[in-house]
Amino acid sequence: MPLEFKLNPSAQRKNTIDFLKAGLYKVSPLGYYGEFGGAFIPEMLYPNVEELAEKYLGIIQEEAFQKEFRELLRDYVGRPSPLYLAKRLSEKYKTNIYLKREDLNHTGAHKINNTIGQILLAKRLGKTRIIAETGAGQHGVATATVCALMDLPCVVYMGEVDMQRQAPNVARMRMLGAEVRAATSGSKTLKDATNEAIRDWINNPKDTHYIIGSVVGPHPYPDMVARFQSVISEEIRKQLQEKTGNELPDYMIACVGGGSNAAGSFYHFLNDDKVKLIGVEAAGDGVASGHTAATTAVGKPGIIHGSRTMLMQTEDGQIEEAHSISAGLDYPGVGPLHAHLFKTGRATYLNATDNEALQAALELTRLEGIIPALESAHALAKLKDIAFKPDEVIVVCLSGRGDKDMDTYIKKLEN
Amino acid sequence: MNRIEKLFQDKEQRILSIYFTAGFPELNDTIRILESLQHADTDMVEIGIPFSDSLADGPVIQEANMRALHNGMSLKLLFAQLRGFRDKINMPVILMGSLNPVMQFGIESFLRSCKDTGIDGVILPDLPVDEYEKNYRTLFESQDIYCIFLVTPETSNERLRKIDSLSGGFIYAVSSSSTTGKEKDMNKQEGYFQKLRQMDLKNPVLVGFGIKDKNTFDTACQYTNGAVIGTAFIKALQTGNNVEEHINSFIKGIKAR
């Protein structure tokens, strides 16, 4: 039974309005979103990160950079990605649901928006070697793809567990010429792949650029990745204007692991208080089960991968292992922007269990003929929990396609 | 006077500092290892606070961290083990670890516990020097706990000066940008070591990362005040049955002239 959706506790609302007035959803010059963010890195990473922090805005704002970036997004990625009115899905939930079709991008997910941006940046910084981490493999594939395009050697770190559950993406990365290295420490998933990539960067301080795949890591990564992904909400505004005569939706819904597709989906709506921003985290077996990746629900402020953010951790400050059926959401932190949006109440964070995500994936497949990625299915899974009005406009970011998840779908859905 | 300051006042050359992870190999080894190290005439000790996701560490110390955590080590327990250790141990002792466990413990209670137990300095590699200056410096200074910072060959001279002005006790010169325990040729770092010497820093300099035996220790000591050994010592702890004897011969082997 859908619940009347309560946007935010009223105490937090005032906060939100104050932040809106001050424009504080943007990152500060030192890399903070409120109390979150920063760059908590060992000195070995300082020169690389500092170089990025000093140069990224200048480079991104160059006309020549923008031209090359926009052209590649258009001609290589296939942007703008369609905004599709999902009629049968809308009928079912008695409202108007639009899907932002990031699944139709080249390589099958939103991840390539960021890797195109970062590879162009890396070239301008004179870097000759690229490293990346990957969870579901979508960011790894998107990185391997742009490295093939730009003729740069590429090493992708991937948790050993994820290499098994996302085997087709491992094969794709290798075919694209990337070296895939297994991360065998910890939970052998995204967190550990990120640790290994950072360690690689420490050991290769001069020639290497680290293409982080989400809005996580030390400043300037969260802001840089959000800017590259912000093309998603930039397009949504235009497309909604054309389709509905109003550029603002009532709801913008996206899944959150580290939170890059959500950051991109929220970006150009942050200052439009009318737009309800909903992030959906992976609950795994359930928030209280001890097998979850719902960071804002069970975490508290801490430091992971160079950033102060919400973090799943023990009382002693050890990072807890996340659990989700979706490799792309299997992360014990969130980007600092999301921690800030959570804390201030500007965005609301819900969570969906493994089962809810599977059911939502099947539903979209049968109603619309679209097989979504397991990650995106988490966002879809919350449609049933919100009491939408018939005249409202809902946008869900369909961040990726489900090809990579066919093994899981076949196994889990055959009963 | 802080024991670290005293050490460098009494001895300028060939200072040997040993790193080990608290709770490794066994949960209650901390004091036993400290005693053995003192018995073997080690100049200074760094006790590692185990962390699940230490970014700056190579496989050996990562493994030691995981084992220690598995054994049940925590910062709270470490301070309990250290209660009263100053009755027996005179060497300067430093705590080294990642920032998150310290933050969760609470920085103020952490520094108070350091002071109460007799810890002299702290190394938190992922606490940036600017963050320290802005938010933590007064807290450290009020408890007379030194905060020791890392530098690398890539650290600019300007930044080196800043780090030197804020670092307490000594500067930890990472031999070349890497995680801990990498194989390295120390002779290749001659230019960097010489630069550090010529800059006439206010702090003494110890070299760490890649120092593993008498040879690498001697090379580092040619240019600086001494060196830190971590990974090689952790490996040594894993091999022998008689830990005391093992530690003694390890240290003697490094210090031999």
Side-chain angles (χ1 to χ4, degrees), chain B residues 117-147:
Chain B
T117 47
I119 295 295
D120 306 290
V122 174
I123 305 175
L124 300 167
D126 57 348
L127 174 63
V129 70
D130 309 287
E131 195 82 29
Y132 168 78
E133 188 179 21
K134 217 168 79 193
N135 298 323
Y136 302 105
R137 185 185 185 176
T138 344
L139 295 174
F140 274 76
E141 287 178 352
S142 72
Q143 300 288 348
D144 189 31
I145 303 292
Y146 284 168
C147 193

Side-chain angles (χ1 to χ4, degrees), chain A residues 30 32 38-47 185-186 191-192 194-196 198-206 300-306 308 311 313-321, chain B residues 50-58 62 66 69 73-76 99-105 125-131 134 136 150-152 154-155 159 163 174 176-179 182 209:
Chain A
L30 289 174
Y32 280 88
F40 295 88
I41 47 167
E43 185 63 24
M44 291 80 89
L45 286 177
Y46 181 83
S185 57
K191 160 178 84 77
D192 311 285
T194 309
N195 287 343
E196 288 308 322
I198 292 175
R199 289 176 188 135
D200 181 309
W201 210 19
I202 287 175
N203 284 295
N204 296 282
K206 286 184 180 150
K300 52 182 194 244
I303 290 163
I304 181 170
H305 298 138
R308 185 167 194 277
L311 172 62
Q313 57 187 318
T314 66
E315 203 186 319
D316 185 41
Q318 308 298 333
I319 298 176
E320 286 192 296
E321 290 173 8
Chain B
F51 182 51
S52 54
D53 294 80
S54 168
L55 297 177
D57 282 313
Q62 279 177 48
M66 293 323 278
L69 291 174
M73 184 43 82
S74 67
L75 193 45
K76 211 166 157 186
L99 192 51
N100 197 50
V102 171
M103 293 300 222
Q104 300 311 319
F105 193 87
D126 57 348
L127 174 63
V129 70
D130 309 287
E131 195 82 29
K134 217 168 79 193
Y136 302 105
L150 273 52
V151 300
T152 80
E154 271 72 53
T155 305
R159 190 166 165 82
I163 290 174
V174 176
S176 67
S177 185
S178 75
T179 43
K182 282 264 166 184
F209 289 43

